[in-house]
Amino acid sequence: MTIQFNDETFRDDYTFRNSDWAIRRFPFPFHEDSYMYSVNMERHRGGPEGSVYAKRFDVDEHYISEMRDRALVLAEDPLRCQSLPHMTLAGWDLLELIMVNKSEDYPDLFELDRDGNKWRWINKPLSIDDSFIFMDEASLPYGPMEYITRQTQGDFAVLDQRENNLWMDAGMVTTQADWSLDFDIGMNFFEWHAPVPLAHEMGVFKRALKFLLNVQQGNPARRLNWTMTVNPLLDTSPENYHKWGVQKTTLTPENLGRKQHLRVELQTFYRLPRSNALVFPIRCYLIALEDLVTIPKWGRRLHRVIRDLPVELATYKGFIDNRPLILDYLSQFDDGLPTSPGVWPDLDSEPPLRR
Amino acid sequence: MSTDLDRLHVVVTAKVKLNDLVTRFEFVHAGGKPLPPFSGGAHALVEMRDGDVTRLNPYSLMSDPLDPSHYAISVRRDDAGRGGSVFLHDKVQVGDRLNLGYPVNLFALDLTARKHLMIAGGIGITPFVAQIKQLQSTGGAFELHYAARTQALATYADALRAAHPARVNLYLDDQNQQIPLERLLSGQPPGTHVYVCGPRGMIDWVLTTAHALGWPPEAVHFEEFLAPQPGMPFTVELAQTGKTICVGEHESLLEAMEREGVDAPYLCRGGACGQCETRVLAHDGTFHHHDHWLEEHDRNGRKIMPCVSRFEGTRLVLDR
């Protein structure tokens, strides 16, 4: 299908909206009526046609506006994009990975012509047509990682692998769920996960690291993570907490369905060939609760998940104070009927809401 | 991460005998596409169908990692081995089709190093050939010290010395030349990483000397692929799958499980990566551990690496 790109904002007047298409393909993260951490990794090998899993780097109706928001964040705070000196090779790996995959998956939007190291990249939605020399930094307006991630939705953590650990040595991070690249740069896997409650005791990170160290070329992996965000803000960074944190106090029963968003990250993991680094694209999808509950199964299930979530997790995810308000809203959409297993909407088989 | 890993389909385009022991094989993609780039030090599994036996042996890629037009490996003939190298030397010809695994790197350059000090013994030169090509393209200081039995067996020494006269040092056993290891490891600038690939004795020598001289362990890298050793046949009970299988003299425990359709994880098949680690549930007999993955306390009846290790006794039960 041809994508109709939205003209919308993720700040100030918040004109961000999901179309019916975007609502139905939203990556709902709960496969059952409860949630606990797990190393919920699976192979990133496509998915149902039209779903966010179908392509390796999903492009949707928010693409152009998200890239505009990223440019605004970078103009205010250039440290959102950093690459330590030994990570330039990984940047070229990432540029190649994205250009090759996007031009293969979306030939009507992106074109890549390669003649040896002479490359030409055409990005039609963003009106870019650049010719450059692969592996020659001087031939691009930015470093290779910054160049390609200014044109690709999602945050990117580029992890060096050494000493049986992963190191946050490069990244482009402007759409994050309250973590900071500038704070984490140079840290290893255990250091940057230190703030997460419960999971350490459960051994989740040891197992996750072991899995990630063994992600191999040709065999990418993926998982979902989630949190809650008031207003469709892409940039919920610690750097700007003074701007967005206060917005959490603006919820009322009347505006909650419109302002409270479920925020889901599709995290994928690729081994980069020349540098042996790992790249960890973190793609953020937002959905207003009033849109989410138009899928009856999701309305029922989200109410049960939020209701039964351990206090530590609701605190860490930043919505413990608003949980009663959120539950009041969501309970209207939970009639107590059972839900079908799995994450899909099942609109044809799940009953409508019984009032 | 096991038998369903995607394969690269390739055609043999060159078979070059380099000396009495070593032959180089070159491959291109069977579909005419570029092969995936890789990082210096990576290996690929080569799938060999020798009659009704299928072997997957790891070989270091030694072509230019940044050149996707072809891959090259160099294979040392081992007449006492289980037949993988002999099969390649004697049976595989130009024009044959083979399947390769995707490149996997368990011996990567640490790109934060200020200098790379490389120590090679014999056929252990191959990963360094690719690493040196990588450093040539991306920049990076290196120094190679290469020991071989004779000039004739010093595979690739001439080409390496011609390309990098000031950085490549050759030591020949038959001339009584020895790598001055202690002096080398004592005189390196801070930020140097040392890499060793060669026979077990050489690896131990470098690890012990570096340790004694106070090298931080994270700056010392080694790689030794172990070919699975032949041995007495033995019987294994697999508790999860409920199968009892016999491991033949010339096959590994991992290969025997695969032959019986048991989906067992693996990556390097050379005792190095840890992927195939398997719990021992019961045993009455002696383990012959050949890996360098397991901790000492796991070797006494707790775990086994089925890619290279064997068992001799009356009963062995594995959690697989």
Side-chain angles (χ1 to χ4, degrees), chain A residues 5-72:
Chain A
F5 295 108
N6 301 349
D7 182 4
E8 60 194 359
T9 58
F10 302 87
R11 54 181 69 210
D12 305 324
D13 57 351
Y14 299 113
T15 59
F16 164 87
R17 292 292 177 273
N18 281 308
S19 67
D20 288 344
W21 172 73
I23 292 170
R24 281 196 302 274
R25 73 195 295 274
F26 187 81
F28 188 72
F30 307 111
H31 62 90
E32 58 186 7
D33 288 357
S34 64
Y35 171 79
M36 194 48 196
Y37 288 132
S38 60
V39 185
N40 52 338
M41 305 271 193
E42 59 178 346
R43 299 172 83 179
H44 187 37
R45 270 290 158 91
E49 184 63 30
S51 74
V52 303
Y53 311 106
K55 312 290 191 197
R56 289 163 287 190
F57 293 90
D58 182 49
V59 175
D60 67 8
E61 63 191 23
H62 309 297
Y63 177 49
I64 294 175
S65 297
E66 282 190 29
M67 294 300 95
R68 195 162 52 209
D69 195 72
R70 165 157 292 163
L72 290 172

Side-chain angles (χ1 to χ4, degrees), chain A residues 35-37 196-199 226-227 309-320 323:
Chain A
Y35 171 79
M36 194 48 196
Y37 288 132
V196 182
L198 301 180
W226 68 278
T227 187
L309 196 72
V311 171
E312 295 93 325
L313 290 188
T315 307
Y316 173 68
K317 290 179 183 289
F319 64 88
I320 186 74
R323 175 149 72 170

Side-chain angles (χ1 to χ4, degrees), chain A residues 274, chain B residues 34-38 63-71 137:
Chain A
R274 298 172 185 78
Chain B
L35 288 162
F38 60 95
S63 43
D64 183 345
L66 305 187
D67 176 2
S69 68
H70 74 286
Y71 285 168
S137 307

Side-chain angles (χ1 to χ4, degrees), chain B residues 47-235:
Chain B
E47 187 178 298
M48 288 171 267
R49 294 183 187 277
D50 183 5
D52 39 1
V53 180
T54 299
R55 290 196 194 82
L56 283 165
N57 287 6
Y59 293 99
S60 294
L61 294 170
M62 38 96 44
S63 43
D64 183 345
L66 305 187
D67 176 2
S69 68
H70 74 286
Y71 285 168
I73 61 171
S74 292
V75 180
R76 183 186 189 279
R77 187 184 178 100
D78 180 5
D79 283 296
R82 298 175 321 133
S85 67
V86 173
F87 176 80
L88 281 168
H89 274 246
D90 292 351
K91 303 268 179 66
V92 172
Q93 304 300 341
V94 169
D96 286 357
R97 285 174 174 251
L98 288 174
N99 294 331
L100 306 183
Y102 270 76
V104 170
N105 202 338
L106 303 172
F107 190 55
L109 292 170
D110 185 322
L111 297 179
T112 65
R114 299 288 180 82
K115 175 182 170 185
H116 307 278
L117 178 67
M118 302 166 173
I119 298 177
I123 194 63
I125 190 64
T126 51
F128 295 122
V129 174
Q131 289 180 339
I132 288 171
K133 283 177 181 145
Q134 177 178 332
L135 290 171
Q136 248 178 293
S137 307
T138 59
F142 73 90
E143 195 177 295
L144 172 72
H145 297 267
Y146 177 17
R149 274 154 57 188
T150 64
Q151 180 74 48
L153 291 177
T155 320
Y156 300 115
D158 290 345
L160 286 165
R161 282 213 289 194
H164 311 281
R167 295 166 180 261
V168 173
N169 306 274
L170 184 63
Y171 308 85
L172 299 173
D173 293 350
D174 67 349
Q175 313 269 320
N176 288 321
Q177 296 166 337
Q178 204 191 26
I179 296 177
L181 185 64
E182 213 166 304
R183 181 170 65 74
L184 273 182
L185 292 181
S186 307
Q188 296 301 326
T192 301
H193 281 238
V194 62
Y195 306 78
V196 55
C197 185
R200 185 75 229 178
M202 176 185 235
I203 292 174
D204 288 341
W205 180 46
V206 173
L207 296 185
T208 313
T209 310
H211 178 74
L213 291 171
W215 277 66
E218 62 270 19
V220 182
H221 310 262
F222 67 96
E223 178 157 82
E224 179 200 18
F225 280 130
L226 302 161
Q229 296 301 306
M232 297 285 286
F234 60 102
T235 301

Side-chain angles (χ1 to χ4, degrees), chain A residues 43 45 86 89 93 96 114 135 160-164 169 210-211 214-219 272-276, chain B residues 1 4-6 36-40 65-66 102-105 108 110-112 134 138 218 267 273 275 277 293:
Chain A
R43 299 172 83 179
R45 270 290 158 91
H86 61 280
L89 187 59
D93 276 333
E96 179 192 50
R114 290 185 283 182
M135 299 281 278
D160 195 24
Q161 178 162 333
R162 53 180 197 274
E163 299 165 32
N164 269 319
D169 286 350
K210 193 171 174 185
F211 179 91
N214 276 314
V215 166
Q216 297 302 339
Q217 238 175 295
N219 205 8
L272 294 175
R274 298 172 185 78
S275 56
N276 201 41
Chain B
M1 300 245 169
D4 61 341
L5 265 181
D6 280 357
F38 60 95
S39 48
L66 305 187
Y102 270 76
V104 170
N105 202 338
D110 185 322
L111 297 179
T112 65
Q134 177 178 332
T138 59
E218 62 270 19
L267 198 55
C273 75
Q275 199 53 221
E277 181 181 300
W293 171 261

